[in-house]
Amino acid sequence: MKKQKLRVLFLTRRRVGLLALLAGAGLATAQTPAALELALSERDFLSDMPIVLSVSRLPQRLDETPGAVTLLDRDMIRRSGARDVADLLRLVPGFQSSTSFEAGAPVASYHGAFERFSARIQVLIDGRSVYSPALFGGTGPGLQGVALEDIERIEVLRGSNSAAYGSRAMLGVVNIVTRHTVDTLGLQAKLSGGENGVRDVQTHLGWGQDGATFRLALDRRGDDGLSGANGHNQVKRVNFRADLRATASDDIQLRAGGLVIDSGKGYSDKPTSDPLRDRSFESSYVQLDWRRILDVDEDLALSMSRTQESHRDNFPFSLLPRFRINDSIVIDFGGRTRSDVLTLQHTARHGTDVRVVAGGEIRREQVSSKPSFNTEAARVTDFTRLFGNVEWRMAPDLVLNAGALAEKSSDSGNSVAPRLMLNWHLAPGQTLRGGMSKAYRPPSAFEKYADIRYFYRGHELPGPATRSSGRVQPESVQTRELGYLGDFSPFGFNLDVRAFHEQAKGFVEGTTGQPRDFFNGAAFSIKGLEYQLKARPWGGAQLNFNQAYIDIDSSVAATAASAPKRSSSLTLFQQLPGGLDLSLMHQRSGMAKLVGEGASSRFSRTDLRLGWPLRWASKRGELALVVQNLGSPYQDFVSAFRFQRRAFLTLKVEN
Amino acid sequence: MVRRTLLLSFWLVLCAASWAHAGATVVIVSSERSAAYGEAAQALVDELERGGLARAEVLQLTALEFSGAGPLTPKLYVALGTQAAQVLASAEWRAPVLCTLLPRNSFERVLRESGRKTSAQFSALYLDQPLSRQLELIRLALPEARRLGVLWGPESQGQAAALKALALARGLELVEASVGRDELLFPSLKKVLEQADLLLALPDPQLYNSSSIQNILLTTFRARVPLVAFSPAYVRAGALLALHASPTQLGLQAGLIARGVLQGKTLSATPIYSQDFSVTVNEHVARSLGLKLEPAVLSAHLRRREGTP
């Protein structure tokens, strides 16, 4: 009897314990899971977070960059009133630009426009190199790749840096960075209209949320071009970008887009060799970037892209005057290209003093143009590259950047482009830079394989022909430079000075005889000094003053005249009462053949912009009046073309 | 006979076990068994040992285990974490309860849900840092910052008035935006970043969590606006600076309080903030923003300002 009572008691206690346990568990899950997550607890303080600002996301400080950099931010782009990136680049010291579409698109060159295509600077849009194999490796169409509204900033590196930016970064680098999709959510539209047939329409739509955001941008930019030129032109663009976060440490970006440039070209006084006609340049691309954060001090990035171009430019050539045949043939400069690129890059920080970037790239360029190469087959060039850069803080005030790019081309053999730069902070805010580098540009497919012949009914016609012997070798530039960066923020200004000596070897030139061939020209040097001063002299004002003194020492007169001996630009941005925004830009250039053609000229140009901010409910906008070239018309591209004054209004709305 | 002996010995063992439990002087209830709670408990036990209490007299249980344990008669309960505080709040205990390793918001929620009031029988040592100390640190680290950006969410909104008053007293301006439940974060973040010199993150799981932190850090970094956060994990992710108390620091202070209770003192009727704290800096982000911050120097200055050694 007693035993039984004990047993019952024991069981009861255990059951009570079990019930209490269940009750406790029940209490813990009484709140719904969702509510629990949103209730603040110690978990918010104690849990881990994914690394976001990893080593490759933290850019170098301006005073530790191994070179002279000019940053063009969104504010500057807006206030300049520029409608093309090439036109905006005229405000960077050492640059020469032309607004003519004669060469396909407006071009900008650094330290000399040796020919009309500007193939000696590297232009990148979000890491994708955008030179056009169809146009001698020219960068004009590339600069048209994205609408100005989509650009977050443009980093212009004045000086060669193949080690970090790939070959073709011979004289300088223009790195265009587009806006992150998270910054462009919603709808934005911009309209411009005015004199000279300026008709621009631009819009972008952004959508998405945390971890998956998108943007679709469409725009059309058109005007009547330069007076005296067959200059009507229209650029149509579509660009899509997606920023996706696959996992806490994986970031994926997808980009795709297309560009069509329809422009007039030719001369009324050259009816047989370069008559007035329309030409069209189309390009489309797809790009995938994947970045993985391996650790707070280590990242890996993989990038793949394909760019296709097609260029249509032809005109009928009458055989009557020369051959007495009452018929004509088509003279064609068109072609198609395709570039496929795969890049892998690893960035690692070793301790606090060393940062290493290393990687490899394979690129295949295919150019097909029956009229240019006398074959239906494509000219294929394969490039394999290995690059690396070490940033070493040798002492708290001394930073060394040492890098190199080794390139193997199926066409031109191997080359190694090294770069060395030392930055010394001699005092807080005062930095001296010194270094040297070597860069190469492989010859374009046309320069190496051109074979232009004219046929009529199966017979080859005698006439101006181009037959490349293929003897052209890569061009090279060896640079020695000294720089100074002074940050005088307490006094409201900072100064960047670059003194340079660039030894150019083997710049490709065309012979004047028949048939035309390409050869590596004589060496010459580019010496000089350029500086940029940024100041905030009084409330609401921003003043930029640049000057460049460039001396090209060459036995060939045309080369020596490729850059002006002196050019300057003064920009004033002023906030006026009432929120009005005034910009005044004055630019002056000494004698130079702006794009290596025609006679030298000097010019000066003054632009004015006045902006009124607008606001309705949640929407913001701006109405701006832009007047380009307040002064007299100046020569742009060739003596017959003139940049006349044009005024236009821009209305922008965004939410 | 054998069965009786067995039963008797069984009972004796049971009684011995419950007597052992009943003999525990301090009962520590942790929300979970994970690292942070373990560190706090360890620091607490070490401090008690220094005060002369044997390790065996401290009983450590998880919140689940506590619900199923037998009668306990300690002199003090210590709750580590919100869940433990909830469990200890659910009934009246004869000994005082000190809740720690939880933020003020959580403690106040526990009080609301259990209908209790804070008293010398049920008090807390907060994990989060007082707003005044955070503002002092901001003034020391970023003396040129005049406009503080803050995003208020459903959990942090309650501190808006207090922060405004404290900021005003220090000559700082607040640039605020509220984000409602289920509302998108980014429009408010962008608006705040247009004017703020820095973004002060006040904990709110709807706004600051492992999903949103990537976009927040990228956006603030692009705008060159530093983020001042509340845990070292955020600094590692890319925040410039954080003011926080580690589980060890809290455990140590809880241990000191516990020693006081065992000597006959009472718990403070109003909850207190931790006396000790740490400052963590992301030096790569600092360098990128052109700043030079030394965590040791900042901590020392901050302690001096508060008048503690």
Side-chain angles (χ1 to χ4, degrees), chain B residues 14-210:
Chain B
L14 212 64
C15 289
S18 47
W19 174 78
H21 276 215
T25 318
V26 176
V27 172
I28 303 174
V29 184
S30 295
S31 298
E32 290 167 18
R33 262 198 210 292
S34 55
Y37 304 93
E39 279 163 30
Q42 187 63 45
L44 174 55
V45 170
D46 287 341
E47 184 54 36
L48 286 171
E49 244 188 327
R50 268 192 288 274
L53 194 70
R55 216 163 259 274
E57 296 194 55
V58 179
L59 179 64
Q60 294 190 39
L61 300 167
T62 63
L64 276 177
E65 286 170 1
F66 178 74
S67 312
L72 299 165
T73 52
K75 295 223 182 81
L76 171 73
Y77 290 98
V78 179
L80 299 177
T82 312
Q83 211 183 329
Q86 275 168 342
V87 158
L88 280 170
S90 59
E92 283 289 339
W93 309 100
R94 269 187 263 132
V97 178
L98 174 69
C99 301
T100 187
L101 208 63
L102 85 178
R104 176 175 163 162
N105 256 26
S106 296
F107 183 66
E108 288 176 352
R109 169 177 275 116
V110 165
L111 292 176
R112 270 199 309 273
E113 282 168 2
S114 61
R116 294 182 79 141
K117 281 208 166 55
T118 173
S119 64
Q121 283 295 107
F122 198 82
S123 189
L125 169 64
Y126 293 144
L127 170 60
D128 54 339
Q129 297 298 301
L131 291 173
S132 55
R133 193 181 284 161
Q134 295 193 60
L135 290 180
E136 270 311 308
L137 177 63
I138 287 172
R139 289 235 298 186
L140 280 168
L142 303 162
E144 284 151 17
R146 281 275 154 272
R147 287 187 295 261
L148 264 57
V150 191
L151 287 175
W152 297 116
E155 290 286 307
S156 53
Q157 186 77 56
Q159 299 176 290
L163 184 65
K164 201 173 233 142
L166 286 168
L168 219 62
R170 283 171 174 74
L172 298 166
E173 205 189 297
L174 282 190
V175 179
E176 309 168 276
S178 289
V179 183
R181 209 171 274 284
D182 297 331
E183 226 182 82
L184 277 182
L185 172 63
F186 289 97
S188 309
L189 177 63
K190 293 246 299 275
K191 234 176 10 149
V192 166
L193 289 178
E194 273 168 31
Q195 299 187 347
D197 297 326
L198 68 89
L199 185 69
L200 174 62
L202 293 172
D204 187 316
Q206 188 184 300
L207 303 180
Y208 302 102
N209 53 63
S210 55

Side-chain angles (χ1 to χ4, degrees), chain A residues 12 37 81 90 100 231 346 352 385 453 488 549 552 557:
Chain A
T12 320
E37 267 174 39
R90 79 186 193 282
S100 170
H346 179 256
T352 52
R385 295 169 177 150
R453 302 162 197 249
F488 299 96
Y549 294 86
I552 301 181

Side-chain angles (χ1 to χ4, degrees), chain A residues 42 73 187 212 258 302 319 362 402 414 419 428 491 495 543 560 635:
Chain A
E42 66 276 8
D73 62 12
L187 185 66
L302 179 73
L319 296 171
I362 48 178
N414 306 344
R419 186 179 212 274
F491 302 103
L495 178 67
L543 193 74
Q635 175 188 324

Side-chain angles (χ1 to χ4, degrees), chain A residues 73-222:
Chain A
D73 62 12
R74 280 195 63 226
D75 215 36
M76 211 260 179
I77 296 173
R78 175 182 63 91
R79 288 165 123 175
S80 70
R83 289 168 63 238
D84 296 299
V85 176
D87 198 30
L88 184 64
L89 289 173
R90 79 186 193 282
L91 300 172
V92 177
F95 268 81
Q96 295 82 47
S97 37
S98 163
T99 63
S100 170
F101 273 77
E102 195 70 26
V107 291
S109 337
Y110 181 63
H111 284 181
F114 302 98
E115 31 72 24
R116 51 163 68 186
F117 294 107
S118 182
R120 291 163 184 114
I121 56 169
Q122 170 75 294
V123 176
L124 300 160
I125 300 182
D126 289 333
R128 182 177 62 103
S129 179
V130 291
Y131 62 89
S132 303
L135 294 176
F136 286 84
T139 52
L143 288 172
Q144 292 288 334
V146 288
L148 283 165
E149 282 298 318
D150 287 346
I151 299 178
E152 174 68 40
R153 68 179 181 278
I154 303 177
E155 298 165 350
V156 183
L157 178 71
R158 294 177 279 115
S160 78
N161 193 353
S162 284
Y165 293 100
S167 72
R168 296 173 187 287
M170 284 251 286
L171 291 167
V173 182
V174 174
N175 188 18
I176 299 175
V177 179
T178 61
R179 298 181 70 191
H180 198 287
T181 46
V182 144
D183 286 333
T184 54
L185 296 174
L187 185 66
Q188 180 257 327
K190 187 166 108 169
L191 285 164
S192 297
E195 293 180 328
N196 205 40
V198 169
R199 301 277 180 275
D200 301 341
V201 182
Q202 179 266 333
T203 181
H204 74 228
L205 176 67
W207 69 96
Q209 49 177 317
D210 240 346
T213 42
F214 309 87
R215 172 175 66 238
L216 184 65
L218 294 150
D219 83 304
R220 179 165 71 73
R221 169 229 176 279

Side-chain angles (χ1 to χ4, degrees), chain A residues 96-377:
Chain A
Q96 295 82 47
S97 37
S98 163
T99 63
S100 170
F101 273 77
E102 195 70 26
V107 291
S109 337
Y110 181 63
H111 284 181
F114 302 98
E115 31 72 24
R116 51 163 68 186
F117 294 107
S118 182
R120 291 163 184 114
I121 56 169
Q122 170 75 294
V123 176
L124 300 160
I125 300 182
D126 289 333
R128 182 177 62 103
S129 179
V130 291
Y131 62 89
S132 303
L135 294 176
F136 286 84
T139 52
L143 288 172
Q144 292 288 334
V146 288
L148 283 165
E149 282 298 318
D150 287 346
I151 299 178
E152 174 68 40
R153 68 179 181 278
I154 303 177
E155 298 165 350
V156 183
L157 178 71
R158 294 177 279 115
S160 78
N161 193 353
S162 284
Y165 293 100
S167 72
R168 296 173 187 287
M170 284 251 286
L171 291 167
V173 182
V174 174
N175 188 18
I176 299 175
V177 179
T178 61
R179 298 181 70 191
H180 198 287
T181 46
V182 144
D183 286 333
T184 54
L185 296 174
L187 185 66
Q188 180 257 327
K190 187 166 108 169
L191 285 164
S192 297
E195 293 180 328
N196 205 40
V198 169
R199 301 277 180 275
D200 301 341
V201 182
Q202 179 266 333
T203 181
H204 74 228
L205 176 67
W207 69 96
Q209 49 177 317
D210 240 346
T213 42
F214 309 87
R215 172 175 66 238
L216 184 65
L218 294 150
D219 83 304
R220 179 165 71 73
R221 169 229 176 279
D223 60 51
D224 291 339
L226 298 166
S227 75
N230 185 17
H232 56 272
N233 56 66
Q234 202 178 86
V235 178
K236 294 197 282 267
R237 284 177 279 247
V238 58
N239 279 295
F240 170 78
R241 173 171 165 169
D243 289 285
L244 309 162
R245 193 174 354 112
T247 71
S249 51
D250 289 291
D251 244 345
I252 296 179
Q253 290 176 337
L254 192 64
R255 291 176 177 85
L259 166 74
V260 177
I261 304 178
D262 286 313
S263 55
K265 68 175 286 193
Y267 304 88
S268 49
D269 58 353
K270 292 190 192 160
T272 47
S273 57
D274 201 355
L276 299 172
R277 62 194 184 279
D278 287 342
R279 71 114 81 81
S280 151
F281 178 93
E282 285 174 29
S283 128
S284 59
Y285 72 94
V286 147
Q287 181 182 353
L288 177 73
D289 290 281
W290 170 56
R291 186 212 309 259
R292 162 160 255 170
I293 298 176
L294 300 169
D295 193 78
V296 68
D297 290 325
E298 211 179 333
D299 302 94
L300 199 60
L302 179 73
S303 176
M304 294 190 283
S305 74
R306 165 172 288 189
T307 309
Q308 281 176 192
E309 293 175 340
S310 93
H311 180 220
R312 186 177 52 76
D313 178 14
N314 53 59
F315 59 91
F317 178 79
S318 167
L319 296 171
L320 200 59
R322 205 160 158 210
F323 300 98
R324 315 265 165 118
I325 302 170
N326 194 7
D327 206 343
S328 58
I329 56 169
V330 173
I331 293 189
D332 196 343
F333 297 120
R336 278 193 318 279
T337 76
R338 191 167 95 185
S339 303
D340 292 314
V341 190
L342 178 68
T343 315
L344 186 67
Q345 179 172 300
H346 179 256
T347 312
R349 202 162 32 207
H350 301 278
T352 52
D353 298 331
V354 179
R355 192 170 105 138
V356 179
V357 177
E361 176 178 290
I362 48 178
R363 176 189 291 261
R364 166 166 285 194
E365 258 172 42
Q366 296 174 321
V367 186
S368 37
S369 166
K370 172 87 164 53
S372 304
F373 302 114
N374 197 34
T375 166
E376 291 285 359

